[in-house]
Amino acid sequence: MAPSNQEHIAQLLPADHRWLTVELLEPGMVLARPVVAVTNRVLSFKLGEGSELTPSMIGQLYARGIECVAVAIPPPDEVEMEAWRAQCAAYAQRLDIIFSDGQGGIDPSCRPLYDLLLTQGPQR
């Protein structure tokens, strides 16, 4: 038996990272995933997870043609978690409206997309 929307939303946690293009990076942001550049099958550049970005590092990302990186998002406090839960509930309700077949159910042909979007949750 599949979990209900409310059970599913209760299990969602806010994302711990966000993908940003290099143009949006700012010094002080922290990498959530390693960044690796390979030139002619030789490692030419590497920044580890947890590295705090500096202007020089951001310049190197530009120079090496890296388009986006995962940036860490600090964990939420209790007030932010309550807001997150409310946002998730509103998101699930909106998906129900969008994917409803007009008779209270989700159109079976749209169910895979609906389930995927519900699993991903709203953007933080």
Side-chain angles (χ1 to χ4, degrees), residues 4 17 19 28 30-31 39 44 47 83:
S4 71
H17 67 278
W19 289 92
V30 177
L31 292 177
T39 306
S44 61
L47 291 175

Side-chain angles (χ1 to χ4, degrees), residues 11-79:
Q11 296 171 353
L12 280 177
L13 293 175
D16 62 351
H17 67 278
R18 177 178 303 161
W19 289 92
L20 295 177
T21 60
V22 175
E23 293 81 20
L24 297 175
L25 296 177
E26 296 177 7
M29 290 181 167
V30 177
L31 292 177
R33 304 264 172 97
V35 176
V36 177
V38 177
T39 306
N40 296 328
R41 294 194 279 182
V42 175
L43 179 66
S44 61
F45 182 73
K46 181 176 181 180
L47 291 175
E49 179 180 334
S51 298
E52 187 173 324
L53 294 175
T54 64
S56 173
M57 289 176 179
I58 295 170
Q60 286 294 317
L61 294 170
Y62 271 117
R64 298 186 187 285
I66 295 169
E67 295 180 5
C68 63
V69 298
V71 176
I73 299 173
D77 61 22
E78 194 55 42
V79 172

Side-chain angles (χ1 to χ4, degrees), residues 80-100:
E80 289 173 327
M81 275 305 288
E82 285 304 316
W84 173 253
R85 288 185 189 105
Q87 186 179 1
C88 286
Y91 177 79
Q93 185 177 31
R94 181 71 178 140
L95 285 179
D96 285 344
I97 292 168
I98 292 169
F99 285 92
S100 175

